[in-house]
Amino acid sequence: MSYKIAAPDEYLAITGMNIKNVLITKAAWVWPFQRCNRFSVQPHDYGMNLQAMTKEKLQFLLPVVFTIGPDVNARGANARFGNATPEEDHAHDETRGDSLMKYAMLLADSSEKEKGAQYLENIVKGIIEGETRVLVSSMTMEEIFTEREEFKRRIFRNIQGELDQFGLKIYNANVKELKDAEGSTYFQSLSQKAHEGATNQARIDVADAQLRGNVGEADRRGQQERQISKINAETAVQKTDRDIERATAEANLATQKANLNRDVEIARIQAKRATESQDEALKKDVEVKRAAAELERLRASDVVKATINREAKQQAADAKAYEIEAEAKAQFESANMVADANLQKQLKEAQGITAMAEAYAKLGTAFGGPDNLLRYMMIEKGTYIELAKANASAVKGMQPKISVWTTGAEGSSGADGKGAGQDSAATMRNVYQLLPPLMSTIHDQTGITLPEWQFGKLPGNEVARRDTDNGVNSDHRSR
């Protein structure tokens, strides 16, 4: 019995008593009737030059290098971490989906024996060569060149599918530059074609560069000459402008000198005249001050006299104002007394009116309301009699004209109730009999004559109208 520990790049494969299949672990106790083998999990590089043929029957050499080793991550149902494949997916597998168990059972023991490494290499290279040739035979040379990454991914996927059954994993796949197979010049021709194309393009580029250089040189030379001519012309123009500016400045200087001389002469004359004017002003001030002093002397004497008179008048005015003030105070007191008396009188009258209003309210209640009280007071004070007299005097001297018509027998029978038996046309006949005297009356009272085409021609006087009425009676009464 011993305790076995594997190196960092190794695993222990234990078989024997109490182990159903193979136990893959890093450290364990090895009991009697048990066997323990160590195997390395380091990846190895497998390089080869594969001779393959494309879909177009073109042969070439495909140099590839694959880095392949045991897959230490795919432990299947034997994994101790949650990211492994569930146990029930490999419950019926002998290896339980463990890649290390596959490798230990199929390849690890043989690798430790003599020529074991060569045995593993032959298996790996056989898988790589077979899958690569199958893939290349289904592609054209153009697809292999233009889709290099896709070609690499497909090789990786196909080979990895075959290596999974041995518990191996491709850690890296490197497809090198394609080469011609023996007796083939395809890639050499393509390279020569590309070289010649590049050479010809380089010669064309050199010719274009020389053309652009010669044209650019001539263009720059022309631009230089044009710039020199332009600068010379601008220099001449600027020189002319400077000459004009200098002449203008000289003319302005002469004008300024003349103006300054004129201003100096004018200032000298003005100073002389200002001196004379100031002298006259001083003389005038002296005379004015002398006259003012005399005026003040005379005014002082008059002021004394005026002051004496003013004080006398002031005393008299004060006495008069005192009298007026005393009189005003007396009148004010008298007015206050009169106002108080009037106020008392108005208060008494207000009290009397209030008492009268209360009495009228009681009378209104006694007569059954304000309307009855108002009628009683109008009767008591003779208001109705006065209104009748006023109405009589208003219509006194007026002569109103009132016309009354009685049409036919209906008018007379209406009084005794015998007109009920007349025919239905009596009403319309009476209306037409009424119209002529009605129009005449409107004409007599208003002076308006209605159209003849509507009501006929009206008589010119009252007698003719009566003759044409044919029994229509009219009474005119004046009230």
Side-chain angles (χ1 to χ4, degrees):
M1 182 182 66
S2 62
Y3 188 75
K4 302 292 184 179
I5 300 176
D9 59 344
E10 292 179 341
Y11 272 88
L12 300 177
I14 302 174
T15 58
M17 187 179 61
N18 295 329
I19 297 176
K20 184 178 179 181
N21 198 345
V22 179
L23 175 62
I24 307 298
T25 182
K26 279 285 188 180
W29 286 97
V30 179
W31 301 94
F33 305 104
Q34 288 184 350
R35 183 177 179 180
C36 178
N37 290 332
R38 296 174 183 267
F39 64 92
S40 176
V41 293
Q42 289 183 351
H44 296 279
D45 292 335
Y46 300 93
M48 64 189 72
N49 287 326
L50 299 176
Q51 185 172 356
M53 182 180 294
T54 64
K55 189 177 182 181
E56 303 153 321
K57 304 299 187 294
L58 296 176
Q59 292 186 356
F60 66 96
L61 295 178
L62 179 63
V64 294
V65 177
F66 286 86
T67 302
I68 299 174
D71 190 356
V72 298
N73 295 321
R75 298 302 305 276
N78 295 328
R80 299 181 181 179
F81 303 99
N83 58 353
T85 305
E87 182 177 355
E88 56 270 13
D89 293 344
H90 305 281
H92 302 288
D93 295 346
E94 185 177 5
T95 59
R96 299 174 62 85
D98 191 348
S99 297
L100 289 179
M101 187 178 292
K102 292 179 181 178
Y103 178 76
M105 293 173 65
L106 299 176
L107 301 175
D109 186 54
S110 61
S111 64
E112 297 297 329
K113 296 179 180 179
E114 186 179 357
K115 298 182 182 180
Q118 186 66 32
Y119 172 74
L120 177 61
E121 182 177 354
N122 291 335
I123 293 177
V124 172
K125 286 184 177 181
I127 293 173
I128 293 173
E129 186 174 358
E131 294 298 327
T132 303
R133 286 179 177 176
V134 171
L135 178 61
V136 170
S137 64
S138 64
M139 298 179 66
T140 63
M141 186 64 71
E142 185 67 21
E143 290 175 348
I144 294 173
F145 267 101
T146 57
E147 300 177 4
R148 181 67 62 88
E149 291 298 326
E150 179 62 23
F151 176 64
K152 180 179 177 181
R153 283 194 296 270
R154 292 175 66 180
I155 290 177
F156 191 96
R157 183 172 61 251
N158 294 346
I159 295 175
Q160 183 62 56
E162 294 296 328
L163 293 177
D164 285 341
Q165 59 185 342
F166 295 99
L168 297 176
K169 176 182 178 182
I170 301 175
Y171 288 93
N172 183 39
N174 186 13
V175 179
K176 296 183 179 180
E177 192 68 29
L178 303 181
K179 297 180 181 180
D180 286 323
E182 185 177 356
S184 175
T185 59
Y186 179 78
F187 292 110
Q188 183 180 358
S189 300
L190 289 179
S191 176
Q192 186 176 359
K193 178 182 177 182
H195 178 71
E196 292 297 333
T199 302
N200 293 334
Q201 185 63 39
R203 293 175 61 187
I204 294 172
D205 294 340
V206 170
D208 289 341
Q210 290 177 353
L211 175 63
R212 288 195 298 271
N214 295 332
V215 173
E217 183 181 1
D219 184 46
R220 295 296 185 275
R221 189 180 299 110
Q223 289 183 2
Q224 180 181 0
E225 293 176 356
R226 288 194 298 272
Q227 290 293 333
I228 292 173
S229 300
K230 182 178 179 182
I231 291 172
N232 292 332
E234 291 178 352
T235 302
V237 172
Q238 291 178 359
K239 183 179 179 181
T240 303
D241 293 340
R242 298 292 85 76
D243 293 340
I244 294 173
E245 291 177 357
R246 183 171 61 254
T248 303
E250 291 176 354
N252 291 335
L253 178 61
T255 303
Q256 293 293 332
K257 288 181 178 180
N259 291 334
L260 291 174
N261 293 331
R262 183 193 62 191
D263 294 340
V264 170
E265 186 65 22
I266 292 173
R268 186 179 63 77
I269 294 172
Q270 288 179 349
K272 182 179 178 181
R273 291 182 178 178
T275 303
E276 294 174 354
S277 177
Q278 188 175 7
D279 184 46
E280 293 296 330
L282 291 174
K283 291 179 181 179
K284 181 179 178 181
D285 290 340
V286 171
E287 293 297 331
V288 169
K289 290 180 179 179
R290 184 180 294 112
E294 182 65 21
L295 179 61
E296 290 296 330
R297 186 183 65 78
L298 296 175
R299 183 180 293 170
S301 61
D302 292 339
V303 167
V304 172
K305 295 178 181 179
T307 301
I308 294 172
N309 293 331
R310 181 178 61 78
E311 290 179 354
K313 292 179 179 180
Q314 183 66 36
Q315 291 178 359
D318 291 341
K320 183 67 174 175
Y322 179 76
E323 292 178 359
I324 293 172
E325 183 179 1
E327 184 178 357
K329 288 182 178 180
Q331 291 179 357
F332 178 73
E333 294 294 336
S334 176
N336 285 338
M337 294 175 65
V338 172
D340 291 339
N342 290 334
L343 178 61
Q344 293 296 327
K345 181 179 178 182
Q346 290 176 359
L347 290 175
K348 295 295 183 181
E349 290 178 355
Q351 293 176 356
I353 292 173
T354 302
M356 186 180 296
E358 293 177 354
Y360 281 142
K362 294 179 179 179
L363 286 175
T365 303
F367 281 102
D371 294 338
N372 296 332
L373 176 61
L374 182 61
R375 294 188 187 95
Y376 170 75
M377 293 181 67
M378 291 177 69
I379 294 172
E380 182 182 7
K381 295 183 180 296
T383 304
Y384 290 116
I385 298 174
E386 295 296 331
L387 289 174
K389 291 180 178 180
N391 291 331
S393 62
V395 299
K396 186 177 181 181
M398 296 177 62
Q399 295 180 357
K401 190 173 184 180
I402 302 172
S403 299
V404 179
W405 296 279
T406 302
T407 58
E410 183 181 2
S412 59
S413 63
D416 52 4
K418 296 180 180 181
Q422 293 186 351
D423 59 342
S424 59
T427 302
M428 297 300 298
R429 183 175 64 253
N430 294 337
V431 171
Y432 279 107
Q433 291 177 356
L434 176 65
L435 287 176
L438 177 61
M439 297 301 105
S440 298
T441 303
I442 291 173
H443 176 72
D444 293 341
Q445 292 185 2
T446 64
I448 297 174
T449 303
L450 298 176
E452 294 181 358
W453 60 268
Q454 187 175 8
F455 297 103
K457 186 175 181 180
L458 300 179
N461 50 46
E462 182 69 19
V463 176
R465 183 171 62 83
R466 289 179 179 178
D467 293 338
T468 59
D469 282 340
N470 293 325
V472 178
N473 298 324
S474 300
D475 296 334
H476 298 278
R477 293 175 298 181
S478 298
R479 184 182 298 176

